[in-house]
Amino acid sequence: MSEPATWSEEAERTTSGVIVPPQTAPSVPPPGSEQVVVASGGPVGASQTIGDRCRIGRAPGCEVVLRDTAVSREHAVIVRQADGSLVIEDLASRNGTWLNGRRVQRAVLSTGDRVQLGPRAMLSISVPDPVHERRLARQRMEAVGRLATRVAHDYNNLMGAALATSEHLALELERVGALRHGEVGECMRDLRLVLERARELTHAIGSQGRREAARRPAPVDVGEVCDEVLRLCRRTFGGDIQVRRRWHAGHVVRAHRTELHQIVLNLCLNARDAMPEGGTLRIAVEAARGALGDGTEGVLVRVADTGAGMSESVRRRVFEPFFTTKADGRGSGLGLATVKELAEGMGGRVEVESEPGRGSVFRVWLPACSERAAPRPERVEARRTSAALPRAVTEEQAAVREERRTSPRESGTLPKEAAPILVVDDQVLVQRCLARLLTGAGHRVETASDGREALARVKASRPAAVLLDLDLPVMRGDAVLEALLELDPTLPVITMSGHFGPDREAALRRAGARGHLAKPFDAGSLRALLAELDVQPVARAR
């Protein structure tokens, strides 16, 4: 490959004068672009570009692998002649080969021909249509968005529980002085970073699946994002993979920080998987003038590995949704498809160069931004000393901890007059994590698993507030909200849901909800909302 020999950790060099013409769909398919497309007898819609030889059958070594048991292990082969024409030959199969309804032993193929193997398996010979391929890719990504929306609730519940647990753990570790150990504090900060990024990513995916307008992108320093990703990679990759980097601050693009983080992380994870026996991962960020074909300034993110590399047929399909060469259970085939979708959404593009045995180089070109990068999120706070607390511990929370040391909770004698907060959620894990978080802040907590149980508890004793999940069994959350407010119109009810949207929040507020929390939420958001509603912890009860 043509990768330059400047990958060592040397001073940054600026690439200029790189002119890449805009990609346009050719009107005539290039020679050698014919494909075999499976219509039946195998994975329907699967395609394989025809090289010099393309074997078809049930054997794993065939270029086109079918599942139909009536197809021989090596049933037929398509051979490209010296003049570029294609010829199909039957390989003494059990059940024969047909071309456009006529049984053949050897015949010349043309675009549009239909090839039948045995009584059921059907293939077609086609050439790629760029417009059609882009439309299919868009449809596949929209299907991914719909799937993401459907699973968002359960995923957000898990993320919410993880956030609450990590924040409670941070408080307890600080209380016993364990965070003074540098490695423990660093691990907690990294854990917090991962959870925050996962939470933001969940919201971004949910918004994309519902085709809602997400928050506006902001100027982001690509090097800062790469720093975050690299810190996570070095903790998880192990010593058999060496990481080399080359960038400096100042390469700014307009993007959602989480989406840019996802692009770099997915490329790094893909590189790791390509080097199961170890190797070298190289990441570089540099300027690239005219790289997007319109003469504008650009930023190039380059991720290279020394892994097994890819064949040309795999390289052509590597950005297809759900396409993967990994073993079952090792990959979904969405990582690189997501990279392509996000990069194009930022006005950029991505390409890959790879050869078997020589590794791969992924290049992502993004439009440069002349504005200054937005400040790095304070939650990360990578500059804190090893004895400092993670973001979970704010000044307000530190004050609560101080009060807890002398509060009645320490002696096990909570005031009976302090009304509890009622947590209504059908997930026991979420109940337990929220209860732990609220109890740690000095509140009393009761729980309910469905709407009827919640109504019964409120009738028996008015709580200080209700945290109400909207996706409940027995009774829908909005019906429970209505019933609770019929019992007590002044009851502070805070709704929670993994299916978040501005329209839904507005409707809930019109129905009487005093606040809404989009799962997964952090402790700071919950405590701020409770303080706004004047729901005080036991230590501050009047």
Side-chain angles (χ1 to χ4, degrees):
M1 294 184 294
S2 58
E3 193 60 31
T6 57
W7 274 113
S8 59
E9 297 188 23
E10 59 183 24
E12 175 75 14
R13 293 181 181 177
T14 299
T15 301
S16 61
V18 180
I19 305 299
V20 181
Q23 294 180 320
T24 58
S27 56
V28 178
S33 63
E34 297 92 343
Q35 297 177 333
V36 178
V37 181
V38 178
S40 62
V44 176
S47 62
Q48 172 64 46
T49 301
I50 302 172
D52 293 335
R53 291 177 62 86
C54 180
R55 293 171 300 162
I56 308 168
R58 289 189 296 111
C62 292
E63 283 72 26
V64 178
V65 179
L66 302 177
R67 302 169 184 159
D68 187 354
T69 56
V71 174
S72 299
R73 287 183 57 80
E74 291 195 1
H75 195 108
V77 63
I78 300 175
V79 180
R80 187 176 296 278
Q81 305 296 299
D83 61 359
S85 62
L86 300 175
V87 173
I88 187 168
E89 298 179 4
D90 185 86
L91 299 177
S93 64
R94 290 178 297 154
N95 297 310
T97 300
W98 281 260
L99 175 61
N100 299 326
R102 178 174 62 88
R103 184 162 184 169
V104 297
Q105 290 296 322
R106 188 176 189 277
V108 176
L109 291 175
S110 300
T111 301
D113 283 346
R114 297 183 69 81
V115 177
Q116 180 179 338
L117 306 182
R120 295 178 295 270
M122 188 70 70
L123 310 172
S124 66
I125 308 301
S126 68
V127 292
D129 179 349
V131 175
H132 180 64
E133 292 293 331
R134 285 196 293 270
R135 181 173 62 84
L136 290 179
R138 173 62 61 179
Q139 290 175 345
R140 286 191 288 264
M141 291 308 295
E142 288 177 353
V144 172
R146 290 192 295 270
L147 175 63
T149 301
R150 288 197 296 269
V151 304
H153 177 254
D154 288 341
Y155 184 76
N156 283 331
N157 273 335
L158 296 174
M159 281 301 307
L163 276 167
T165 301
S166 69
E167 293 182 350
H168 179 78
L169 179 61
L171 291 171
E172 294 302 313
L173 288 173
E174 193 277 335
R175 184 175 61 85
V176 299
L179 286 182
R180 297 190 183 94
H181 189 282
E183 187 174 0
V184 174
E186 185 179 357
C187 287
M188 288 304 300
R189 286 192 295 273
D190 285 350
L191 176 60
R192 178 73 186 191
L193 171 64
V194 171
L195 293 174
E196 289 289 348
R197 288 291 176 265
R199 180 179 67 168
E200 294 167 6
L201 177 60
T202 305
H203 285 167
I205 291 175
S207 296
Q208 184 179 16
R210 293 186 299 272
R211 307 192 69 81
E212 293 176 358
R215 69 189 188 281
R216 292 180 180 275
V220 179
D221 191 304
V222 181
E224 287 186 357
V225 174
C226 290
D227 283 333
E228 294 177 7
V229 173
L230 200 56
R231 188 165 72 251
L232 298 177
C233 290
R234 281 175 169 154
R235 282 192 172 276
T236 58
F237 279 12
D240 55 347
I241 295 181
Q242 296 183 351
V243 180
R244 293 184 179 179
R245 49 162 288 175
R246 194 187 70 214
W247 63 76
H248 61 67
H251 295 302
V252 180
V253 300
R254 180 171 289 277
H256 297 299
R257 190 182 190 93
T258 301
E259 292 181 355
L260 186 59
H261 187 280
Q262 188 182 8
I263 287 175
V264 180
L265 180 60
N266 279 351
L267 290 177
C268 290
L269 293 178
N270 184 77
R272 178 202 62 184
D273 293 342
M275 301 183 288
E277 304 300 324
T280 302
L281 168 66
R282 298 179 173 94
I283 311 172
V285 181
E286 57 195 42
R289 186 186 304 276
L292 297 172
D294 55 3
T296 60
E297 294 285 344
V299 174
L300 169 62
V301 181
R302 186 165 40 184
V303 178
D305 64 70
T306 58
M310 293 178 278
S311 65
E312 179 62 18
S313 60
V314 172
R315 190 193 67 80
R316 287 176 179 268
R317 302 186 60 193
V318 74
F319 295 112
E320 293 182 11
F322 305 112
F323 175 77
T324 179
T325 59
K326 299 174 185 177
D328 290 345
R330 292 295 304 277
S332 65
L334 290 176
L336 293 178
T338 301
V339 168
K340 182 175 185 291
E341 184 78 5
L342 293 177
E344 291 179 351
M346 298 176 192
R349 64 185 179 90
V350 59
E351 65 178 33
V352 58
E353 181 183 352
S354 183
E355 295 179 18
R358 300 191 64 183
S360 302
V361 180
F362 286 84
R363 298 181 180 90
V364 181
W365 281 276
L366 299 171
C369 175
S370 59
E371 303 175 52
R372 296 184 62 180
R376 183 179 294 195
E378 288 299 318
R379 292 189 179 111
V380 179
E381 294 193 351
R383 298 186 181 90
R384 284 189 171 189
T385 61
S386 59
L389 302 181
R391 170 62 175 161
V393 184
T394 63
E395 293 181 3
E396 182 263 341
Q397 291 168 308
V400 172
R401 287 200 312 273
E402 183 64 27
E403 293 175 359
R404 286 175 58 197
R405 293 190 178 96
T406 58
S407 71
R409 176 178 176 271
E410 299 297 328
S411 61
T413 58
L414 286 171
K416 294 182 179 180
E417 65 274 11
I421 294 176
L422 177 61
V423 176
V424 187
D425 199 296
D426 61 325
Q427 299 290 325
V428 176
L429 178 61
V430 176
Q431 288 182 13
R432 187 164 63 243
C433 292
L434 285 178
R436 185 186 297 125
L437 189 65
L438 290 168
T439 302
H443 295 278
R444 291 180 58 205
V445 179
E446 291 183 355
T447 60
S449 298
D450 57 56
R452 290 180 182 173
E453 184 179 355
L455 291 172
R457 288 188 176 275
V458 172
K459 289 178 182 178
S461 176
R462 184 189 189 277
V466 177
L467 293 180
L468 174 65
D469 185 66
L470 293 173
D471 301 277
L472 292 173
V474 184
M475 291 179 65
R476 289 175 53 88
D478 50 0
V480 179
L481 172 63
E482 182 180 355
L484 287 173
L485 295 178
E486 285 182 359
L487 289 174
D488 186 348
T490 66
L491 180 64
V493 180
I494 300 171
T495 56
M496 308 179 294
S497 177
H499 304 299
F500 173 74
D503 293 341
R504 190 179 195 191
E505 180 180 1
L508 291 167
R509 288 187 178 276
R510 287 194 299 270
R514 301 285 295 278
H516 184 81
L517 292 169
K519 292 181 177 179
F521 51 85
D522 58 20
S525 300
L526 174 58
R527 292 190 179 109
L529 186 51
L530 291 174
E532 180 183 336
L533 299 177
D534 199 28
V535 180
Q536 300 292 342
V538 171
R540 296 180 177 180
R542 297 181 181 90

